[in-house]
Amino acid sequence: MFKNTTRRGLAIASALSLAFAGLVSAPASANVAFELKPSAGTSYTTFVTETFTLETVLGSANPNGGNQLKYAVSKESGFAVDAVSSTDSAATLTDKEVLSGSTSKVISAVGATQTSRNYLRLAVDNASSASSSVTVTVTAFIDVDNDGAVDTAEPQSAQTVSFKKYSDVASVVTVTQGAEGDTAVKATASFTGVNEDQLTAAEKRVHFAVSGSALASSVAATAGVFTSVDSVTLAKDATVSAYVVYKGTKIGETSATMTVTNKTVKALTLSAVTGDNVIASGSAAAKARLNTSFALKANVKDAATTTASAVAGADVVFEVSTSATLTATKTLAVNGTTYTSSTALPKTLTIKSDASGDAVVTLLPTGFSTSDTVTLIAKSQNNTTPNLVVSFETATYTVTSDTHGFLKVAGGTEFTVNYSVKDQWGVLTTKADRISAAYAGTTKYVNLAAGKAAVSFTSTTSAGSLNVTNGALEEQNSSTLNWSSVAGATLAGNVAVLVTTTADSFDVSPVATASANIARATTSGDIKLTNAVSLTGSVNNAGAKVTVTGTGVKFAAPGDKAVSEGSISLNTDGSGNFTVSAYVQKAGTATITYTVGTATKSTVVTVAAPAGTEGSVLDVTSNAAGNTIEPGKTIVAKISLKDELGNAVEAKDSGTESFGVTVTGLGFVGALPVALNSSGEATVTVLLGSADEGNVVITASYSKDGSTANAITKVLTIAVAKAAAPEVNAVIGTYNGRWAVRVENAKGSVVSVKVGGNWFKYTSLNENYLFSRKSVVGRTLAVAVYVNGQLENVATIVVK
């Protein structure tokens, strides 16, 4: 009985062993005995100082609820290992040393069940970052016969965990490309082959160095990216490097050095595109006509100076917002796209700057009220503009006269005061309103035509000054036809009319700024020109008309928003004084002439030549007609540099500008110029050999600040080739009873002439050779001429 029972138990145990043995190599699933893997991540490698956790998942095929799960831990001698089994993946390892002198040990799984995960945590006892790299092998197995040993037939899974010395681990650190002006630097970093999911994330930190100087703080990652926290602004040509540490120890090598992308945009402004519907109303504000289309523009330049150049092709990013609540009936269109939700307005609308450095945004509000605003911000290459706030207004009107407040006339003569009516955007009104004006007891009403009205009076016969007053700007009620004053209109000031017989003359000679700089275009101010020259003078009569002229000079009167080309006329003030702003755009001297009545005066303004940093138009020309020249001749090339106004620019490399010339190809090149003279020119000579054939390439380059970003390059390619042989020409004619053939451009060629049925053959002795024979006057002859066997001409002639 005992023997049978024993044999039956052994048979059952044997069957279980065989059953489990058949599951050892089966793929992981709910039906296998177990699966041994990292509790997090996939790699089995960690730092020698770290704890590594393995996870065992039991399956439904395990007997006894998993009580027979055990771990066999083995290692080499020379170091101790701590290990603990638990259902807690974070179970403490303190005082859990299991392998010290021994090299292997079996540990029972604590709390293992068919439905729970069991964890085995491993660590190298008392290891430091300098401890040697070691490995520990763990074999999870089902101890079917409970003998505490891994039997071949028992289900099992073995994994080797590598604990790496810090210096044995490599890293990959990549610095994110940065741009000049960035206020932080970024990088990514990883440890090669290490299971980072089982590391303490906060201990992995990156150290940055900017242009060789280490930042004080190391940083941990956020969403996988390490971002510096120290105060930093990346300068032009700055470099950035980084390295990664774990628990304060550097891992691997320092990253490759990243050189920042330098700015091409150094100045960014945002303003209204002044027009019929919008004008600037401050440095960061604009006012627009309510519910009409208008435009705002960002302008990018390479420097924050008046001589800076536009940057073309730069990305300008706009953010658009509004105080209005947009709906289906209250909308804002941005560059043609209509938005019905305020939150949907573009935050990163990107537009490339044009050749003038402008990036334009067109806006069209619909259904807006005057209490609403639209705000834009522009950004480009770490430059950001202040908010530009656009407010909305309905039109109000201002009346002005063309007299500047004073007018001098002869007694008893007709004079005219010209009035114009504009709104706050400087646009002439289209309304059918009228002007009321009075003088010497007479009031007149004149209807506006295209926003203007000319009111004429007859001056008094007595000497003295009397005002023309602008009494009202009136509009007509379409129902009652009554006229009433336009609400909110600003009327013109009085015009003091001086009646006198005294001839006009200068009592103080006009004066002008003795020297000036070239007037250039600018985006600021009303006139949009820089470097005004002030012209002042005084005449004997208040209100006298003074005319100021100057060839190529632009003029503006005080308060005017526009300039006139070549000349301007204006009335003097109550003291006979006048002031004019002149804008001269050509270097050299400009003669300004002043005329009042029959009196004439003049002044001279000397305009300085442009600086070497103000070139914008580079050109290369040569004496090679059609850019082709024959061998043996000399190429003479002229390089010229001008500013945008056509002024010669002398570039001597004495400032920030740079200039250079290269010549490649054929010929002997003379000394290359290193500067451009005061005429903005330089000469290059190339002496060609008699057998040269091919190309000569002359390349001139100029940069106003020495940078490649602002470089202008001009290339001239000249073909060197022998001149084409002149075309052979045969002329057939008759004279004095003879027929004749003249062959041109065929010296040394064999000429054959067929006359009727007869052939004549000869050699052309020069380039204009004549051959003739006697015939009979009146005879008709068919003549054909061949040169070197090639038919050149055929004609039928009557001998004369």
Side-chain angles (χ1 to χ4, degrees):
M1 185 70 178
F2 174 78
K3 291 182 178 179
N4 288 340
T5 303
T6 302
R7 289 174 180 166
R8 185 172 57 187
L10 290 172
I12 293 171
S14 178
L16 284 170
S17 296
L18 290 172
F20 282 119
L23 292 172
V24 171
S25 60
S29 72
N31 292 322
V32 299
F34 56 82
E35 177 182 16
L36 184 62
K37 62 180 182 179
S39 64
T42 58
S43 171
Y44 291 87
T45 301
T46 190
F47 288 109
V48 70
T49 59
E50 300 307 293
T51 298
F52 195 86
T53 304
L54 292 165
E55 173 185 315
T56 304
V57 181
L58 297 177
S60 59
N62 286 285
N64 304 321
N67 290 341
Q68 292 171 301
L69 175 65
K70 296 178 182 178
Y71 300 101
V73 183
S74 63
K75 68 174 185 65
E76 298 292 332
S77 61
F79 66 97
V81 173
D82 292 336
V84 63
S85 169
S86 174
T87 56
D88 180 5
S89 63
T92 181
L93 280 174
T94 305
D95 298 327
K96 296 293 183 180
E97 183 177 297
V98 294
L99 282 85
S100 180
S102 60
T103 59
S104 64
K105 187 172 183 178
V106 173
I107 302 171
S108 295
V110 176
T113 68
Q114 290 177 337
T115 59
S116 68
R117 285 177 168 80
N118 193 262
Y119 301 95
L120 181 67
R121 307 196 74 214
L122 302 170
V124 177
D125 192 40
N126 293 320
S128 69
S129 61
S131 296
S132 299
S133 296
V134 297
T135 60
V136 177
T137 299
V138 177
T139 302
F141 68 102
I142 303 298
D143 193 5
V144 177
D145 56 6
N146 288 317
D147 63 353
V150 182
D151 298 325
T152 303
E154 289 176 332
Q156 56 192 271
S157 178
Q159 301 292 351
T160 298
V161 179
S162 296
F163 293 88
K164 290 287 189 180
K165 181 180 180 180
Y166 280 37
S167 60
D168 288 345
V169 177
S171 65
V172 177
V173 182
T174 304
V175 178
T176 305
Q177 181 62 50
E180 180 184 354
D182 283 353
T183 55
V185 290
K186 299 180 179 182
T188 57
S190 61
F191 301 130
T192 305
V194 172
N195 188 333
E196 296 196 40
D197 291 329
Q198 295 206 25
L199 299 180
T200 304
E203 297 289 358
K204 179 183 177 183
R205 304 181 73 83
V206 163
H207 292 256
F208 290 99
V210 177
S211 295
S213 297
L215 300 187
S217 304
S218 63
V219 292
T222 300
V225 178
F226 298 85
T227 304
S228 64
V229 295
D230 292 337
S231 177
V232 60
T233 300
L234 295 184
K236 180 182 178 183
D237 297 323
T239 57
V240 181
S241 61
Y243 63 86
V244 62
V245 302
Y246 189 72
K247 291 187 174 178
T249 299
K250 181 180 178 181
I251 307 298
E253 301 298 324
T254 301
S255 72
T257 299
M258 180 275 292
T259 301
V260 303
T261 301
N262 290 332
K263 286 183 180 183
T264 55
V265 174
K266 300 294 181 68
L268 172 66
T269 56
L270 182 59
S271 61
V273 180
T274 302
D276 290 353
N277 296 324
V278 67
I279 55 173
S281 57
S283 60
K287 56 185 178 183
R289 195 185 302 273
L290 185 63
N291 294 322
T292 58
S293 178
F294 62 94
L296 306 177
K297 70 176 180 181
N299 180 264
V300 290
K301 283 187 165 56
D302 58 8
T305 62
T306 57
T307 58
S309 295
V311 178
D315 284 339
V316 181
V317 180
F318 294 91
E319 179 179 345
V320 184
S321 61
T322 178
S323 65
T325 300
L326 300 184
T327 64
T329 56
K330 191 172 192 176
T331 65
L332 179 63
V334 181
N335 279 2
T337 301
T338 299
Y339 295 89
T340 57
S341 168
S342 303
T343 58
L345 287 170
K347 305 299 182 189
T348 57
L349 174 63
T350 302
I351 301 174
K352 286 194 179 295
S353 60
D354 61 19
S356 299
D358 293 333
V360 180
V361 176
T362 300
L363 303 170
L364 174 59
T366 302
F368 273 48
S369 66
T370 54
S371 62
D372 296 322
T373 59
V374 170
T375 300
L376 261 74
I377 302 172
K379 301 177 181 179
S380 182
Q381 298 183 13
N382 285 323
N383 301 283
T384 302
T385 65
N387 292 0
L388 177 60
V389 180
V390 182
S391 58
F392 297 97
E393 298 180 357
T394 55
T396 57
Y397 298 97
T398 299
V399 184
T400 59
S401 73
D402 66 345
T403 61
H404 298 284
F406 297 92
L407 187 62
K408 176 242 170 181
V409 297
T413 61
E414 186 179 74
F415 65 91
T416 299
V417 178
N418 294 304
Y419 291 98
S420 61
V421 180
K422 295 181 180 180
D423 60 25
Q424 61 265 51
W425 297 282
V427 178
L428 290 165
T429 181
T430 57
K431 294 175 62 182
D433 294 343
R434 72 182 186 181
I435 290 288
S436 165
Y439 170 76
T442 300
T443 300
K444 292 189 175 182
Y445 299 89
V446 178
N447 292 336
L448 295 174
K452 296 183 178 182
V455 184
S456 298
F457 296 97
T458 299
S459 63
T460 63
T461 55
S462 58
S465 180
L466 192 64
N467 291 337
V468 173
T469 60
N470 172 206
L473 172 65
E474 298 182 340
E475 59 187 354
Q476 190 174 34
N477 186 296
S478 59
S479 298
T480 65
L481 301 183
N482 292 328
W483 292 86
S484 61
S485 296
V486 175
T490 301
L491 301 179
N494 293 340
V495 178
V497 179
L498 174 65
V499 176
T500 181
T501 57
T502 302
D504 297 328
S505 64
F506 292 100
D507 51 18
V508 175
S509 294
V511 294
T513 305
S515 60
N517 292 320
I518 294 167
R520 301 184 185 278
T522 178
T523 57
S524 62
D526 293 325
I527 301 299
K528 307 299 186 205
L529 288 170
T530 62
N531 300 326
V533 176
S534 180
L535 311 175
T536 59
S538 179
V539 301
N540 60 332
N541 290 323
K545 188 175 291 294
V546 177
T547 299
V548 184
T549 60
T551 302
V553 182
K554 296 178 180 180
F555 299 98
D560 280 356
K561 296 182 179 181
V563 295
S564 58
E565 186 81 38
S567 68
I568 189 172
S569 295
L570 72 166
N571 300 101
T572 59
D573 64 16
S575 300
N577 299 323
F578 66 89
T579 299
V580 173
S581 293
Y583 300 91
V584 187
Q585 297 189 305
K586 293 296 180 183
T589 57
T591 300
I592 310 295
T593 301
Y594 311 82
T595 302
V596 60
T598 59
T600 300
K601 298 285 185 180
S602 65
T603 57
V604 175
V605 176
T606 301
V607 180
T613 57
E614 294 176 320
S616 60
V617 181
L618 183 67
D619 198 15
V620 183
T621 59
S622 78
N623 60 334
N627 292 331
T628 301
I629 197 168
E630 295 178 24
K633 294 191 175 181
T634 299
I635 297 172
V636 180
K638 183 176 74 173
I639 302 162
S640 64
L641 179 65
K642 297 180 180 180
D643 66 8
E644 76 278 15
L645 301 168
N647 295 294
V649 177
E650 181 179 14
K652 300 182 294 185
D653 274 348
S654 58
T656 60
E657 79 275 10
S658 63
F659 168 76
V661 184
T662 61
V663 180
T664 58
L666 304 171
F668 176 78
V669 182
L672 292 177
V674 295
L676 295 164
N677 61 22
S678 59
S679 298
E681 296 178 348
T683 301
V684 174
T685 58
V686 181
L687 176 63
L688 299 171
S690 59
D692 283 346
E693 285 193 59
N695 291 324
V696 174
V697 180
I698 302 173
T699 304
S701 62
Y702 163 82
S703 174
K704 66 181 180 180
D705 60 4
S707 71
T708 56
N710 292 315
I712 305 171
T713 301
K714 188 73 173 181
V715 179
L716 177 65
T717 301
I718 300 170
V720 180
K722 293 180 180 178
E727 185 177 355
V728 174
N729 186 38
V731 180
I732 301 170
T734 175
Y735 66 95
N736 295 335
R738 305 173 72 91
W739 58 263
V741 173
R742 187 176 74 251
V743 179
E744 301 171 348
N745 303 320
K747 181 179 179 181
S749 298
V750 176
V751 180
S752 300
V753 181
K754 184 179 181 183
V755 180
N758 299 316
W759 284 91
F760 302 87
K761 186 176 181 181
Y762 61 92
T763 298
S764 179
L765 300 180
N766 54 52
E767 298 291 9
N768 194 20
Y769 191 76
L770 180 66
F771 180 83
S772 66
R773 287 289 185 270
K774 286 185 177 181
S775 185
V776 177
V777 174
R779 177 176 290 179
T780 300
L781 299 174
V783 181
V785 182
Y786 297 80
V787 177
N788 290 334
Q790 180 71 36
L791 179 63
E792 294 293 343
N793 199 1
V794 175
T796 299
I797 62 172
V798 177
V799 178
K800 295 181 180 179

